[in-house]
Amino acid sequence: MLERSLEIVCVNAPQRIFGAEWSVIAQQLCLPSGRLDILLSNEAGSIQVVELKKGSANLAAFSQVNRYKKDLESAFPSINVMACVLAHEVPEKVRLAAHNMGISYIELQMKEIDAIRHEFEIDDLALIGKRKIQGILSGGHSRKSKAARAPNSEA
């Protein structure tokens, strides 16, 4: 499964994957340190940045999501910012490092993804279709990306 397809599943079934309290507010949003995959919020006012990795997650994925977390904490100092890596597998040594960094992780095996796809009627065409969902902020701009869909000031 491609990361793009994994993202499509996640934005179509966020409560099932991340918990009932979480909603997607942005995807593929540019930050100073890169482009985050998914940004969630909850009613308590917290936000959570999610980095998606197909296959096995490595330490670089956790460092990457930690940079995004720091960008958001700097931009929104009064908001509780959390970070999470979602992958098919998270090896034990990576789990320990994630714990030490204060970053959570979700392992989502293909069998589980298939069950979610069935439950939410996400067919093969949807997985190769549009990645963005209407009403969810996407894009932004950074030094690395000149092509912007929405200025970060709108975000």
Side-chain angles (χ1 to χ4, degrees):
M1 172 172 272
L2 300 172
E3 279 183 32
R4 177 181 192 273
S5 298
L6 185 56
E7 181 180 335
I8 291 168
V9 171
C10 288
V11 298
N12 280 284
Q15 290 82 7
R16 170 73 161 71
I17 296 169
F18 304 106
E21 70 275 15
W22 293 103
S23 299
V24 177
I25 57 170
Q27 63 185 114
Q28 296 300 315
L29 188 66
C30 284
L31 298 173
S33 62
R35 187 180 290 264
L36 63 77
D37 288 330
I38 298 174
L39 186 62
L40 306 167
S41 70
N42 66 16
E43 290 182 13
S46 296
I47 58 175
Q48 181 169 210
V49 60
V50 179
E51 179 61 27
L52 304 172
K53 293 296 174 193
K54 68 177 184 172
S56 184
N58 58 25
L59 293 174
F62 287 88
S63 295
Q64 181 180 2
V65 78
N66 197 39
R67 287 191 307 272
Y68 299 157
K69 179 180 185 269
K70 288 178 181 178
D71 286 345
L72 292 168
E73 287 172 333
S74 177
F76 307 103
S78 63
I79 294 178
N80 179 36
V81 180
M82 296 177 272
C84 178
V85 171
L86 185 147
H88 298 307
E89 176 187 11
V90 181
E92 187 61 34
K93 72 174 188 172
V94 177
R95 290 178 192 194
L96 294 172
H99 176 74
N100 292 336
M101 296 171 81
I103 298 172
S104 64
Y105 61 87
I106 297 172
E107 286 185 309
L108 204 56
Q109 303 292 326
M110 285 302 299
K111 187 165 82 171
E112 251 182 301
I113 293 169
D114 289 340
I116 293 167
R117 287 183 56 199
H118 179 73
E119 180 182 342
F120 286 83
E121 299 177 357
I122 304 168
D123 61 17
D124 290 342
L125 284 176
L127 293 184
I128 61 171
K130 289 186 178 182
R131 158 187 259 173
K132 310 292 190 317
I133 292 180
Q134 187 173 358
I136 296 176
L137 182 65
S138 65
H141 56 78
S142 70
R143 286 183 218 121
K144 295 179 183 179
S145 173
K146 302 268 188 230
R149 294 190 189 267
N152 282 348
S153 57
E154 287 182 30

